[in-house]
Amino acid sequence: MPRKTALITGVTGQDGSYLTDFLIKKGYKIIGVKRRSSSFNTKRIDHIYNDIKQSKNFIPYYGDLTDSSNILRIIQSTKPDEIYNLGAQSHVHTSFEIPEYSANADALGTLRILEAIRVLKLQKKTKFYQASTSEIFGNTEIPQNERTPFRPRSPYAISKLYAYWTTVNYREAYDIFAVNGILFNHEGPRRGETFVSRKITRAVSEIYRKKRKFFTLGNLNAKRDWGSAKDYVESMWLMLKAKTPSDYVISTGKSYSVKKFVEEAFKYINIKISWKGKGLKEIGVNKKTGEVYVRVDPVYFRPTDVDELRGDSSKARRELKWRPKTTFQELVSEMMKSDLKEIK
Ligand code: NAP
Ligand code: G4F
C-alpha cells in the first residue's frame, strides 16, 4: 500500500509535535507547515530533523494561515491524504489583546484550508481534522458533550466557533470528510510556558532549585478538565479513520481547580500548600515553614473567563474506542519531572 501523507499546520506547537511523532511511527510522511520566525521556533520537532531516518519522513514548508495563496499552493503541490489544522493563535488571554488577528488565523485560516480542498477538487482524497476546543462551550451546563449549547466567552472561542461551523458546513455542503475534535485542555512537558499548567510546574521547579521565591497567578478557582496531549493526539487520527465523519468531545471527565494543580505540583517535591486570605489577598503558603509561594496578580485576570470545563467523552469512547490513559496526578508528575530536569 502507498504511504499516507499528512499535512499538519501548527507543527511547531505542542500538539503538532506530538502528532508528528505519533504519525511517523504509523508510517506516514509528514508535510509540516511552520511559520517563519526571527529566532528558532522548532525546538519541539528538532529531534525529528536531527534523526536521519525520521527526517526522511518529514518535509517542512513555510506557511501561514493568514495567507490564502500560500495555503492553496502548499495543498496544491502536496495533495495530502489528511490535513490536521492545529495552527492557531491558541492563547485565550492574548486573544483579548489581538482579537482581529486571532479571528484571521483561527476562524478564516480554517475557511482558507477548506476552500482550498474545494477549489482543488480534493473532496474525495483529502480528509480534514479541525482542532476545535472546549472553550466554545463557555459557561454552560456541566459536563459538556456534543449536544451542549455553545456560549463562547473570548475572541479565541468565538473564532474557534466560526471554524467549528465552517467545518460542519463544508462537510454537509461539499461532502468533504471533515471533523471537529472538541478537545478539552491537554498538557505535557512540551506545553507552552504561558499556559497555567506549565507556568506552575516551571515555577515550582524554580522554587525547588532556589531560583525564585514565589510566583503569581490570576483566577485560582477556575476548573479545567486536564488530560495528556500524548493521549489526545491519538484521538485526532482515530477521528479520520472512522467510517463517517462526525464531531467528538475528547476529555477525561474530571475537573480540578488551578489551586488543586498548584497543590499537586508542590506535592511532587513533598511540600504541602495551604491557602489563606481572599480575592487579591489570597496566598498559597508552605504549611510547614509559612513561606509564601503563590500570590494573585490581577494582570492575569481575563475580561471574561470560563468557570468550569468538564467533558463527557462517551461518544468517542463508544465509537472510536478512544480513552485517556493518563491520570491528572500522573500528568502533573510527568511535567514536574521534566521541568526539574530542565531547570538545573
Ligand atoms: P500551541 O502550542 O500554541 O501551537 C500553535 C501552533 O500554531 C504553533 O506551531 C504556532 O506556530 C502555530 N501558529 C500560530 N499562528 C499561526 C499562523 N497564523 N499560521 C500558521 N501557524 C500558526 O497550541 P497547541 O496546544 O499545540 O494546540 C493545537 C491546536 O489545538 C490549536 O489550534 C489550539 O487552539 C487547539 N486546542 C488546544 C488545546 C490544548 O489544551 N492544548 C485544547 C483544545 C484545542 P509558532 O510555533 O511559530 O508560534
Ligand atoms: O492554561 P490556560 O491559559 O488555558 P485555557 O484558557 O483553558 O485555554 C487552553 O485550553 C483550551 C481548551 O479548553 C484551548 F482551546 C486553548 O487553546 C488553551 O490551550 O488557563 C486555564 C485557566 C483559566 O481559567 C485562567 O484564567 O487558568 C486560569 N489562570 C489562572 N492564572 C491562568 C493563570 N492562566 C494563565 N494562562 N496564566 C495564569 O497566570
Side-chain angles (χ1 to χ4, degrees):
M1 240 185 38
R3 291 175 63 201
K4 283 204 167 163
T5 53
L7 184 151
I8 303 177
T9 68
V11 76
T12 55
Q14 172 189 251
D15 290 8
S17 67
Y18 284 128
L19 182 65
T20 300
D21 293 343
F22 177 84
L23 291 179
I24 284 183
K25 276 200 200 109
K26 294 270 172 212
Y28 278 71
K29 191 169 89 184
I30 306 298
I31 296 141
V33 181
K34 59 171 190 163
R35 292 195 293 180
R36 192 264 159 189
S37 131
S38 63
S39 54
F40 295 118
N41 63 350
T42 55
K43 189 175 155 213
R44 295 180 178 112
I45 49 169
D46 279 346
H47 60 282
I48 295 164
Y49 280 104
N50 295 335
D51 179 322
I52 292 179
K53 255 195 194 159
Q54 289 204 53
S55 64
K56 283 186 194 140
N57 302 319
F58 185 87
I59 306 165
Y61 273 81
Y62 277 116
D64 198 300
L65 287 161
T66 61
D67 181 338
S68 47
S69 62
N70 157 266
I71 295 295
L72 186 73
R73 202 170 52 248
I74 296 175
I75 297 177
Q76 185 177 36
S77 61
T78 59
K79 296 191 177 54
D81 299 296
E82 297 172 7
I83 296 178
Y84 295 87
N85 183 31
L86 309 186
Q89 190 304 95
S90 73
H91 203 272
V92 176
H93 197 178
T94 306
S95 77
F96 288 94
E97 305 298 326
I98 47 170
E100 188 180 328
Y101 176 75
S102 302
N104 194 357
D106 300 9
L108 295 180
T110 309
L111 176 73
R112 290 181 183 110
I113 296 178
L114 285 162
E115 261 301 279
I117 295 175
R118 184 167 85 99
V119 303
L120 295 169
K121 299 197 179 1
L122 290 171
Q123 291 93 323
K124 295 270 174 289
K125 179 175 168 70
T126 305
K127 294 182 175 181
F128 176 77
Y129 172 88
Q130 167 59 15
S132 190
T133 162
S134 48
E135 272 290 309
I136 60 178
F137 293 120
N139 278 344
T140 180
E141 58 206 44
I142 300 164
Q144 298 93 16
N145 64 27
E146 294 79 3
R147 294 174 305 283
T148 303
F150 303 126
R151 304 225 35 211
R153 276 170 68 80
S154 64
Y156 166 78
I158 295 164
S159 306
K160 284 285 188 175
L161 191 53
Y162 174 94
Y164 171 95
W165 283 120
T166 303
T167 302
V168 172
N169 183 241
Y170 274 60
R171 176 167 79 218
E172 292 173 352
Y174 307 116
D175 211 16
I176 296 175
F177 193 113
V179 304
N180 285 292
I182 310 171
L183 271 55
F184 283 60
N185 298 51
H186 47 277
E187 324 290 316
R190 294 186 199 165
R191 183 58 143 156
E193 289 90 349
T194 59
F195 296 96
V196 79
S197 60
R198 186 80 197 286
K199 182 174 166 182
I200 294 169
T201 57
R202 276 181 69 84
V204 173
S205 301
E206 284 169 6
I207 288 173
Y208 184 77
R209 297 277 185 229
K210 305 213 178 314
K211 286 188 188 289
R212 68 153 79 211
K213 290 204 181 317
F214 71 93
F215 61 102
T216 52
L217 291 171
N219 180 359
L220 297 170
N221 299 311
K223 287 185 172 171
R224 291 290 183 272
D225 179 333
W226 276 297
S228 156
K230 263 187 252 167
D231 293 353
Y232 283 30
V233 294
E234 185 191 12
S235 76
M236 302 174 183
W237 175 71
L238 288 171
M239 282 179 222
L240 293 193
K241 271 185 34 141
K243 259 206 175 119
T244 47
S246 190
D247 309 312
Y248 293 92
V249 159
I250 298 295
S251 64
T252 71
K254 290 190 176 142
S255 62
Y256 299 89
S257 65
V258 170
K259 270 188 198 166
K260 183 69 193 158
F261 201 110
V262 170
E263 290 166 23
E264 198 62 38
F266 275 107
K267 200 167 144 194
Y268 190 84
I269 53 167
N270 293 317
I271 289 176
K272 275 193 180 155
I273 293 292
S274 62
W275 300 94
K276 293 187 175 154
K278 281 216 157 36
L280 291 177
K281 296 247 160 67
E282 188 156 14
I283 48 174
V285 302
N286 182 331
K287 216 171 179 176
K288 210 164 150 190
T289 64
E291 282 165 289
V292 180
Y293 289 151
V294 187
R295 296 179 193 278
V296 174
D297 186 338
V299 81
Y300 298 113
F301 290 162
R302 297 163 187 192
T304 41
D305 204 348
V306 177
D307 299 333
E308 178 168 8
L309 291 171
R310 175 151 43 94
D312 164 10
S313 54
S314 21
K315 180 180 171 190
R317 291 172 198 233
R318 196 174 56 245
E319 293 182 10
L320 305 175
K321 309 285 173 245
W322 174 86
R323 58 200 66 250
K325 299 183 184 97
T326 313
T327 64
F328 172 70
Q329 289 73 18
E330 287 166 347
L331 173 68
V332 181
S333 296
E334 188 194 358
M335 293 175 73
M336 279 300 301
K337 188 176 170 194
S338 166
D339 276 331
L340 280 172
K341 202 170 146 198
E342 205 171 298
I343 299 158
K344 281 272 158 63

